[in-house]
Amino acid sequence: MMLERTARMMNFKIEFNYLNIDNYPSIESHLEEMAKKGWLLRKIFMGTLFLYKKIEPTTLDFSISPYEVETFFTRKSKTDLEEFQTVSENVGWNYVDRSYDLYIYYKSENTNAVPMHTDEEEEFKLLERIAKRYLRSQYILFPLIILMSWGTIGSIFNNVRPMKDGWIQPLAVLLPFICSLSLIQIVDLRKFIKTNRENIEQGRRLTFNSTNQWIYKTNGFLFFLVFLILAVYTLYSIFILKNSRVLTMSLPIVAGVIIGLMYRLWIKPLRKGLGFKLGSFLLTLLIAGLVGAPLGMLNFKLLTSSQEIIDPNDYQVLMLNEFIDEEVDEQGNLTRDISFLIPDSHEYTAHFGSLYIRTEYSNALNESLAENLVGRYIKDAKNRLRGKYSQEIHQSFLEGVYHPDLKFSGLTEHDFNRLYNEEANSETSAVWDLINSQSITETNQLWNVDEAYYLSYEKDEVLLRDGKEVFYIEGLDFSDPDVVKQAKVQLQLNE
Amino acid sequence: MNFLTYIERRHTLNLNISIDDISDVDTIEKRKIMTKPLTQPMYYILLSLREERHGYEIMQYVEWLTDGRVTIGPGTLYSLLSRFEENKYIQMVSKKENKKIYLITGLGHEILNREIKRLENLLNDARKDGENDEFQNRI
């Protein structure tokens, strides 16, 4: 609303609408109405964001004409398009903008101009070609979005990382909408082709879609909103948080754009057969991979070195020098993040030779989210224990002999023999319940915080929650009161 | 459509088209070439391109030829021109001031002549329709 108000003051207007090959006549009428109210269309972004300029209220005729400029493998030269536009202007139509394969023209009411399309059968043939192309891309896109939604939304509810990640949360909101939009578009386009094929065969006029428009408009709005959030987050993450991970993550996108550009500039305009173009496309991918991989590594190294400008002393993290007697030149990477659920978080791993200490700090939006995060850390710890000892457990129950490494898991030889005699096996829940209960134990009295747990039997992993703050620390013997005392000082926790 | 069926059809329709002419044209289009009559704008565009012309000239020529009865909009014209060029009904012969100049091909000629023949047949049938007595006395 604020955006719209500001825009109106600045003599332009922003509107979320929807333009596609199956509804453009209704948009023509809408644009005519807008011109009568004194708003002339200037630009359309992604078929949904309409930008108008203030004019004197006037009666204009709009014509939106489908014109296929390019398919995946063919591209008409710029001259083709220029000639089409020049001729359209010669016969009296003024060009406004294009949105994908639709070209938008207007003329004043009194100008006599040949209509852009004079034959509905030909118009439909073109629309059918374009619609089939859109459908083909939707058939590829739809299963991919389903897979992506499944993975993203699943991780949002279960894992630690997505709670802190500023990218995944807005995406998780957007993906179900994109998914439903893709499905609706498939249904609408198929219906559009079928109905109009019958219309043409029976000499009737073309019919266009007028339902479901609000879904497209809402999606358009959401898409731009999420896109804006992601763009702001990316910039903030790179420039303010100095987060190398974001830059590394954006590398595949940059590589994708470069591959697309290379293909578009050099291969698509060639007047060669489909086989040649497909071969060239694969070759471009190969070259991009070969060139991109070393570049990516170099980029990663440069970015990692740039991280040293963040001083870990300014953060609540554990540093090696505070816990060992002699002064060492400790190395470490500190990464910071922001997200809706965890507005402030950072991770730091201090290492020197084989020694390391890791700190993960999260300041959640509220206490219940912090409690939720603690639950996820515990779940993660259980999964880690299972991953770490499943082979030894399996072997032990198979051979009936206690594996010596299991003494670090919390399962004693005595307990193993008891369970073995009770005919338990590696999948018996009692076995894992016992390991979990021995490894993940409360340790409140030492830490004096709201929640405190050891996450390993060796007591070298600790999870703490103090109000909205959650700490995960790893790498020291936290059963030692002196270590805990020093850690509390560094983590700025109450004595 | 495989080439054998295509050759068979070619003989049925008595078209003088060689396989080379349409070997690059996609299968669906090949089927359309053989079975469907031309639409009005298709017919007039092919008719105009018996002489070298660019897009705007085609529009003006058709309007002149039909005394304004038939007009072809730029949207219709340019989508047809590109489809015709892709399907080898027409070819670009030169470029003048950034305008592509086209001319009908051998395949385009055959398609157009077949359409003219079809239209002549329709017209003859309409004329013949007046001679009802002949039908009554045929036995």
Side-chain angles (χ1 to χ4, degrees):
Chain A
M1 285 305 278
M2 213 172 82
L3 189 69
E4 277 189 28
R5 214 173 297 141
T6 320
R8 212 169 292 159
M9 277 160 61
M10 293 173 74
N11 276 345
F12 65 89
K13 182 183 169 75
I14 293 167
E15 179 191 56
F16 282 96
N17 211 319
Y18 176 67
L19 170 65
N20 199 7
I21 52 164
D22 62 349
N23 80 336
Y24 62 86
S26 66
I27 297 296
E28 284 172 358
S29 318
H30 175 71
L31 297 178
E32 284 161 12
E33 284 300 312
M34 291 300 280
K36 272 185 195 154
K37 290 178 191 162
W39 295 106
L40 177 66
L41 181 79
R42 295 309 303 163
K43 241 10 285 76
I44 296 184
F45 299 97
M46 308 196 71
T48 45
L49 187 76
F50 288 38
L51 191 69
Y52 296 90
K53 192 181 91 175
K54 184 112 190 91
I55 52 161
E56 281 300 309
T58 178
T59 309
L60 297 174
D61 288 337
F62 274 84
S63 181
I64 299 177
S65 170
Y67 177 73
E68 199 181 29
V69 181
E70 54 192 336
T71 62
F72 188 71
F73 287 109
T74 61
R75 184 160 69 117
K76 287 174 193 162
S77 67
K78 218 173 169 185
T79 332
D80 284 320
L81 179 63
E82 275 167 10
E83 197 181 330
F84 164 67
Q85 290 186 328
T86 314
V87 171
S88 304
E89 282 174 16
N90 282 350
V91 297
W93 291 101
N94 303 298
Y95 176 68
V96 185
D97 192 22
R98 71 175 270 210
S99 173
Y100 301 105
D101 296 291
L102 294 172
Y103 287 75
I104 304 146
Y105 290 89
Y106 75 94
K107 67 174 181 68
S108 70
E109 195 189 23
N110 308 320
T111 314
N112 263 333
V114 181
M116 292 296 293
H117 274 272
T118 45
D119 189 280
E120 284 217 321
E121 191 175 342
E122 286 308 332
E123 191 173 353
F124 174 66
K125 275 183 193 163
L126 184 59
L127 289 172
E128 192 182 22
R129 249 171 91 124
I130 299 171
K132 280 183 177 168
R133 178 156 53 83
Y134 289 179
L135 273 175
R136 277 197 295 274
S137 55
Q138 289 294 349
Y139 290 148
I140 299 169
L141 206 65
F142 185 65
L144 288 179
I145 300 170
I146 291 271
L147 273 177
M148 217 173 140
S149 310
W150 191 357
T152 311
I153 295 166
S155 70
I156 279 276
F157 284 109
N158 293 305
N159 300 352
V160 169
R161 188 66 238 161
M163 259 191 117
K164 306 178 187 179
D165 196 308
W167 278 70
I168 293 179
Q169 288 164 30
L171 268 182
V173 176
L174 188 66
L175 279 170
F177 283 92
I178 297 182
C179 205
S180 62
L181 186 74
S182 177
L183 190 65
I184 293 167
Q185 187 143 60
I186 289 174
V187 174
D188 279 353
L189 284 176
R190 286 177 65 97
K191 197 172 139 199
F192 175 73
I193 295 176
K194 188 174 174 276
T195 315
N196 283 312
R197 204 178 277 152
E198 285 169 11
N199 284 342
I200 291 295
E201 276 166 12
Q202 292 169 20
R204 291 195 298 254
R205 300 209 63 183
L206 294 179
T207 48
F208 290 86
N209 193 3
S210 55
T211 54
N212 294 338
Q213 302 302 298
W214 66 271
I215 300 180
Y216 292 112
K217 287 179 199 175
T218 315
N219 263 289
F221 174 72
L222 259 172
F223 183 85
F224 276 100
L225 189 69
V226 172
F227 186 78
L228 197 71
I229 291 171
L230 287 179
V232 169
Y233 169 73
T234 309
L235 293 175
Y236 183 83
S237 201
I238 293 169
F239 294 108
I240 311 290
L241 300 179
K242 298 185 170 55
N243 197 340
S244 64
R245 197 168 47 84
V246 176
L247 270 178
T248 321
M249 270 164 58
S250 63
L251 214 66
I253 301 169
V254 176
V257 171
I258 292 170
I259 294 168
L261 271 176
M262 279 163 72
Y263 178 75
R264 211 182 154 91
L265 286 174
W266 296 319
I267 300 166
K268 217 170 177 180
L270 294 178
R271 289 184 172 270
K272 298 275 185 184
L274 192 74
F276 175 85
K277 286 184 179 177
L278 196 61
S280 314
F281 180 66
L282 293 174
L283 190 70
T284 320
L285 273 180
L286 188 72
I287 294 170
L290 289 174
V291 176
L295 272 179
M297 290 304 289
L298 180 72
N299 192 11
F300 186 75
K301 275 181 193 158
L302 284 173
L303 290 167
T304 317
S305 62
S306 76
Q307 289 304 297
E308 283 162 17
I309 39 180
I310 303 175
D311 185 357
N313 283 307
D314 300 339
Y315 294 86
Q316 291 155 276
V317 292
L318 301 184
M319 298 181 74
L320 266 175
N321 278 322
E322 305 294 331
F323 294 95
I324 49 180
D325 298 334
E326 55 191 280
E327 183 87 2
V328 293
D329 181 20
E330 70 171 63
Q331 303 286 312
N333 288 331
L334 191 134
T335 55
R336 296 177 293 178
D337 231 323
I338 56 163
S339 77
F340 292 113
L341 304 177
I342 314 281
D344 179 20
S345 65
H346 58 253
E347 297 176 6
Y348 180 70
T349 307
H351 56 90
F352 177 74
S354 62
L355 290 172
Y356 81 97
I357 319 176
R358 179 164 176 80
T359 313
E360 292 180 17
Y361 167 83
S362 312
N363 192 355
L365 198 64
N366 57 43
E367 216 169 311
S368 96
L369 280 171
E371 285 166 7
N372 186 298
L373 184 63
V374 167
R376 289 174 191 222
Y377 267 114
I378 290 174
K379 200 173 157 191
D380 258 18
K382 286 179 182 172
N383 288 338
R384 266 205 311 281
L385 283 169
R386 209 179 169 105
K388 203 169 165 187
Y389 294 111
S390 63
Q391 212 177 340
E392 285 82 353
I393 291 279
H394 183 74
Q395 200 185 332
S396 300
F397 277 97
L398 201 69
E399 296 169 359
V401 183
Y402 182 73
H403 194 292
D405 284 357
L406 286 178
K407 67 173 185 274
F408 304 112
S409 74
L411 184 72
T412 60
E413 191 165 2
H414 174 75
D415 285 332
F416 169 76
N417 289 331
R418 180 176 54 81
L419 285 162
Y420 186 73
N421 290 332
E422 287 169 11
E423 295 188 348
N425 61 40
S426 59
E427 291 306 314
T428 307
S429 61
V431 175
W432 293 104
D433 286 348
L434 190 66
I435 291 176
N436 289 339
S437 64
Q438 289 295 314
S439 304
I440 302 167
T441 49
E442 286 196 38
T443 170
N444 266 350
Q445 60 277 46
L446 269 177
W447 290 93
N448 191 26
V449 287
D450 294 335
E451 288 181 83
Y453 300 94
Y454 288 122
L455 296 184
S456 68
Y457 187 67
E458 292 162 289
K459 308 204 180 331
D460 60 349
E461 285 178 62
V462 167
L463 181 66
L464 307 166
R465 182 182 70 79
D466 194 23
K468 296 189 293 176
E469 290 182 316
V470 176
F471 297 87
Y472 165 83
I473 45 178
E474 183 195 353
L476 292 165
D477 177 10
F478 293 110
S479 60
D480 179 347
D482 289 337
V483 170
V484 172
K485 197 176 170 193
Q486 184 56 38
K488 278 163 87 174
V489 173
Q490 282 196 41
L491 298 176
Q492 297 165 25
L493 289 169
N494 297 331
E495 272 303 310
Chain B
M1 182 191 288
N2 64 36
F3 286 128
L4 281 175
T5 329
Y6 161 69
I7 296 286
E8 212 172 276
R9 289 263 192 117
R10 192 188 73 167
H11 285 292
T12 324
L13 292 161
N14 200 22
L15 290 178
N16 186 22
I17 309 167
S18 74
I19 288 177
D20 292 341
D21 280 338
I22 66 159
S23 58
D24 288 341
V25 180
D26 88 46
T27 320
I28 301 166
E29 276 306 321
K30 276 176 204 161
R31 199 172 297 135
K32 282 182 191 163
I33 292 168
M34 312 308 295
T35 54
K36 284 201 121 186
L38 300 181
T39 61
Q40 187 164 278
M42 282 169 101
Y43 172 76
Y44 279 109
I45 291 171
L46 287 181
L47 200 65
S48 321
L49 288 177
R50 291 195 292 193
E51 277 178 36
E52 294 181 6
R53 287 196 168 92
H54 60 71
Y56 193 44
E57 266 177 342
I58 297 171
M59 286 173 72
Q60 289 172 318
Y61 177 74
V62 172
E63 207 172 341
W64 170 82
L65 186 72
T66 61
D67 293 327
R69 257 186 311 109
V70 178
T71 49
I72 300 177
T76 307
L77 175 74
Y78 281 92
S79 63
L80 268 175
L81 283 179
S82 71
R83 200 145 56 87
F84 280 178
E85 202 183 3
E86 227 169 83
N87 294 332
K88 314 255 161 111
Y89 291 17
I90 61 169
Q91 62 188 20
M92 189 185 83
V93 285
S94 61
K95 233 178 201 180
K96 202 171 82 185
E97 294 159 7
N98 272 341
K99 287 174 195 152
K100 284 166 102 174
I101 296 169
Y102 298 97
L103 186 67
I104 195 163
T105 59
L107 175 63
H109 258 300
E110 292 295 336
I111 300 286
L112 180 65
N113 290 341
R114 181 169 63 96
E115 184 63 14
I116 293 172
K117 183 83 191 146
R118 191 184 70 84
L119 293 172
E120 273 173 2
N121 287 340
L122 292 183
L123 207 60
N124 287 339
D125 293 344
R127 285 187 189 124
K128 211 165 139 189
D129 187 39
E131 303 157 8
N132 238 338
D133 293 347
E134 209 176 302
F135 176 73
Q136 297 296 341
N137 302 330
R138 74 191 190 283
I139 311 164

